[in-house]
């Protein structure tokens, strides 16, 4: 996901989620995010971060963009429109994938849920939802399938962290033990009909619950009560960003953009050349795959600070007097206790343990260690 620049004269046009009053009652600091008024934090973002790593956190993600694709040729349409082999996804499972331009540039990264034989839900980032909707609609021409904007049909609540299975189990009789990672099933949570998905953006075990907006407050309150003894806390977008950064998960507008192909981003594995038929961007992506194999472009790596100064997106990565890359995301890591960053660097400096690498922070070259991603991986 990527944010948009706040514009004070557009405040009246900001969208609010069904949980807006709840956030304000909890004293949340609100911020503009892709045209939505969203909670940034409720108190200490560090405390919220640690809660997700050690207990559980509750997130409002209702700004995400849900698009339904349904009909006899829904799978064929998605195989043509996206880079993944969506037709091979079994009902009840989900797939991380991307939608690219004809030149291979990434329009967005997506999660696609197969709800049934002929029905899928595509979840796009808030900032790109309209772009994805428009692209799918255009690419649907000639297919016996419907593309439907369902952004107003869903609220999305996530409970993430090691205590999340127990918390959710207290308010649902759905088979959570049998629900695999990147799978979803319809069920009832606290009396509310929901699509229960074992997905998330924190690096922890957890669930994302798609419900009708009119049920959002009821569900949020039930989860809050169920999580009281487990240490569940409300969490904002700020800790969501540091959690995903530690987990090495890309953020659109930072690690991903239209100027990069999936191969440039080190995510060539999501492109499935072996699926039947043509798909948008195939020729350009085949060329990108060949380039990546023979002469790797800059490589996405992790950087860990030796000092205390925090790198930010756009800062130059240097080796001596030479600029060798650019930071895409940076923040203090509450788990590691040090500043960390993701950056694209020249392949010659990309190996973990490479020495002599620094980040230019306002004219001072601060030393950083090159490490493999992710920075953090939960214990299974």
């Amino acid at each position: 996901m990527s944010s948009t620049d706040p514009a004070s004269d557009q405040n009246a046009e900001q969208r609010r989620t069904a949980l807006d009053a709840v956030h304000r009652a909890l004293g949340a600091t609100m911020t503009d995010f892709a045209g939505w008024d969203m909670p940034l934090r409720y108190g200490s973002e560090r405390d919220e971060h640690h809660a997700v790593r050690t207990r559980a956190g509750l997130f409002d993600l209702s700004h995400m963009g849900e698009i339904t694709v349904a009909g006899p040729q829904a799978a064929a349409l998605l195989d043509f429109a996206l880079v993944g082999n969506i037709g091979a996804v079994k009902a009840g499972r989900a797939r991380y994938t991307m939608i690219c331009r004809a030149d291979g540039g990434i329009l967005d990264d997506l999660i696609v849920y197969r709800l049934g034989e002929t029905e899928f839900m595509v979840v796009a980032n808030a900032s790109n939802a309209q772009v994805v909707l428009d692209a799918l609609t255009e690419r649907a021409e000639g297919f016996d399938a419907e593309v439907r904007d369902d952004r107003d049909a869903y609220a999305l609540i996530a409970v993430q962290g090691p205590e999340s299975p127990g918390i959710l189990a207290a308010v649902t009789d759905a088979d959570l033990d049998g629900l695999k990672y990147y799978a979803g099933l319809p069920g009832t949570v606290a009396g509310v009909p929901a699509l229960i998905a074992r997905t998330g953006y924190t690096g922890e075990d957890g669930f994302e619950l798609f419900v009708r907006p009119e049920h959002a407050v009821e569900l949020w309150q039930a989860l809050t009560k169920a999580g009281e003894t487990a240490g569940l806390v409300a969490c904002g977008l700020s800790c969501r960003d540091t959690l995903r950064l530690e987990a090495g998960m890309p953020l659109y507008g930072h690690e991903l953009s239209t100027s990069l192909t999936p191969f440039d981003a080190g995510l060539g594995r999501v492109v499935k050349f072996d699926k039947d038929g043509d798909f948008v961007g195939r020729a350009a992506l085949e060329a990108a795959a060949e380039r990546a194999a023979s002469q790797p472009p800059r490589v996405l790596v992790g950087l860990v600070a030796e000092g205390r100064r925090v790198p930010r997106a756009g800062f130059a990565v240097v080796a001596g007097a030479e600029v060798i890359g650019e930071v895409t995301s940076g923040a203090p890591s509450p788990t590691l206790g040090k500043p960390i960053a993701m950056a694209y660097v020249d392949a010659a400096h990309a190996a973990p343990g490479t020495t002599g690498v620094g980040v230019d922070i306002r004219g001072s070259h601060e030393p950083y260690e090159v490490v493999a991603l992710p920075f953090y991986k939960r214990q299974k």
Side-chain angles (χ1 to χ4, degrees), residues 134-153:
D134 292 345
L136 287 175
T137 301
E138 179 183 340
R139 296 174 190 187
E141 185 176 354
F143 289 91
D144 186 5
E146 173 195 11
V147 176
R148 186 172 70 239
D149 182 359
D150 272 346
R151 284 177 285 180
D152 292 335

Side-chain angles (χ1 to χ4, degrees), residues 122-207:
V122 177
V123 181
N125 288 301
S127 58
N128 293 331
Q130 190 63 49
V131 170
V132 174
L133 177 66
D134 292 345
L136 287 175
T137 301
E138 179 183 340
R139 296 174 190 187
E141 185 176 354
F143 289 91
D144 186 5
E146 173 195 11
V147 176
R148 186 172 70 239
D149 182 359
D150 272 346
R151 284 177 285 180
D152 292 335
Y154 292 101
L156 178 56
I157 296 173
V159 55
Q160 299 277 301
E163 298 293 334
S164 59
I167 293 168
L168 188 57
V171 291
T172 184
D173 59 3
D175 179 18
L176 300 183
D177 289 339
L179 187 63
K180 298 178 180 179
Y181 187 51
Y182 265 70
L185 81 166
T188 302
V189 183
V192 171
L195 172 65
I196 306 167
R198 200 163 205 152
T199 47
Y201 193 54
T202 63
E204 298 297 336
D205 191 12
F207 304 86

